[in-house]
Amino acid sequence: QVQLVESGGGLVQAGGSLRLSCAASGRTFSSYDMGWFRQAPGKEREFVAAISWGGANTNYADSVKGRFTISRDNAKNTVYLQMNSLKPEDTAVYYCAARWRLGADYDFWGQGTQVTVSS
């Protein structure tokens, strides 16, 4: 079992920045790929970014490429999402998730943190 706790959300003006953190406990963090997802009101949850278990590979949704950066610190059991040049359409609840490095699905999810971008 992996427990995930997000933090760092809040209210920011358009063009501003936030850094989300996701602290993991439980099994070996470095064995898990990590992802960030988001869900806006009335919309389905969508993929934002992911990073491989060792940190060598990352990928991003087209909507956030060039603005968001995912990173991880395996010594601290933490994954980060640096969000720059925020737009009102980035407003959502952001969730981190863990997928065992040889698995297919994200099996463990955090409770989410609210990000609100004002125009």
Side-chain angles (χ1 to χ4, degrees):
Q1 197 77 350
V2 177
Q3 293 81 41
L4 303 171
V5 179
E6 302 97 334
S7 61
L11 173 65
V12 64
Q13 288 189 335
S17 298
L18 283 174
R19 188 176 81 154
L20 305 183
S21 299
C22 174
S25 60
R27 295 192 177 183
T28 307
F29 178 70
S30 59
S31 295
Y32 288 83
D33 299 330
M34 299 297 296
W36 285 98
F37 295 77
R38 67 187 182 186
Q39 187 167 21
K43 295 187 177 181
E44 293 189 353
R45 186 170 59 195
E46 65 175 0
F47 168 78
V48 175
I51 187 166
S52 60
W53 56 276
N57 298 304
T58 59
N59 60 298
Y60 297 91
D62 288 343
S63 59
V64 306
K65 277 181 183 176
R67 299 188 299 123
F68 291 11
T69 303
I70 188 171
S71 61
R72 68 189 294 160
D73 185 339
N74 285 346
K76 296 182 177 179
N77 284 8
T78 302
V79 62
Y80 305 97
L81 185 68
Q82 178 67 44
M83 306 185 295
N84 298 329
S85 301
L86 282 161
K87 304 175 181 180
E89 52 263 44
D90 294 317
T91 295
V93 178
Y94 283 70
Y95 300 90
C96 72
R99 176 182 66 194
W100 187 56
R101 60 186 177 91
L102 297 180
D105 299 319
Y106 286 92
D107 294 319
F108 304 101
W109 294 82
Q111 83 289 348
T113 186
Q114 177 71 47
V115 171
T116 302
V117 184
S118 63
S119 56

